[in-house]
Structure formats: structure tokens, C-alpha cells
Amino acid sequence: EARVLSVITEKLQHDSKMELTAKVQDLCRGLETAGIDVHPSMIEGDPRSALLRDAECWNADTIFVGAHAEAKIDHFLMGSVPTAVVSRARCAVEIVR
């Protein structure tokens, strides 16, 4: 069983949301083809806290988080999403490039 969670931030433009939705659908199809029961979800908020909160609610065994390029100023001011998740998660975390 897998939960595919996408966190939409305020900065994400309409076109980017559509692109993200398409990527999530592709990922879910691939997981389902492999025989995995998939539960996709898109929520708004800060990815750092949203991923951790959702993992707690789902009692996740592992969080797989994508490593992606963030704006340098955002990274400097708030830290990276993978770093925040790794440092605060109560379960295993895998960072995927």
C-alpha cells in the first residue's frame, strides 16, 4: 500500500499544478501496474510540515521524498524539504533524485 502525496505551495502556478497532477497520475499508474494499492492526495501548505503530518496520520513505515532544486533564497531561509523531513520524521526516509 502506498500513499502518493503532493503538497501544493502558494508559489505553484496553474500550469505547474497541471503538470504535477499529470506526474502524480503517471506515478500512480506505475505503482498500480506493479500491484500496489495506491492512495493519491494533493494538499496545500508547507511541504516540510505537511509531509510529516500526513506520514503520522497514515502511520507510515517509510517516506520517499523527492530531491528537487529549490530557489536558493527559499533554501537558505527555510531549509530544504528533504532535510526537514529526515531530521524530524519518526520513520525511515528515502531521498529520491
Side-chain angles (χ1 to χ4, degrees):
E1 179 176 35
R3 179 156 171 90
V4 176
L5 178 66
S6 298
V7 182
I8 311 265
T9 64
E10 290 179 14
K11 294 181 182 181
L12 201 59
Q13 301 297 321
H14 177 71
D15 292 343
S16 297
K17 288 180 186 178
M18 290 175 32
E19 183 179 319
L20 178 60
T21 300
K23 286 181 181 181
V24 167
Q25 290 171 344
D26 287 345
L27 175 62
C28 289
R29 274 193 294 274
L31 292 170
E32 288 168 344
T33 299
I36 298 172
D37 186 17
V38 180
H39 306 275
S41 181
M42 294 182 99
I43 60 174
E44 291 188 18
D46 176 17
R48 293 157 190 83
S49 57
L51 291 169
L52 292 166
R53 188 173 46 251
D54 197 73
E56 287 283 324
C57 290
W58 265 72
N59 196 24
D61 294 321
T62 306
I63 299 170
F64 292 87
V65 62
H68 63 283
E70 299 179 64
K72 287 185 180 186
I73 189 69
D74 289 343
H75 180 80
F76 175 74
L77 293 174
M78 299 171 34
S80 74
V81 172
T83 299
V85 173
V86 165
S87 64
R88 292 186 272 173
R90 295 184 181 173
C91 62
V93 177
E94 292 287 334
I95 300 172
V96 181
R97 291 191 179 270

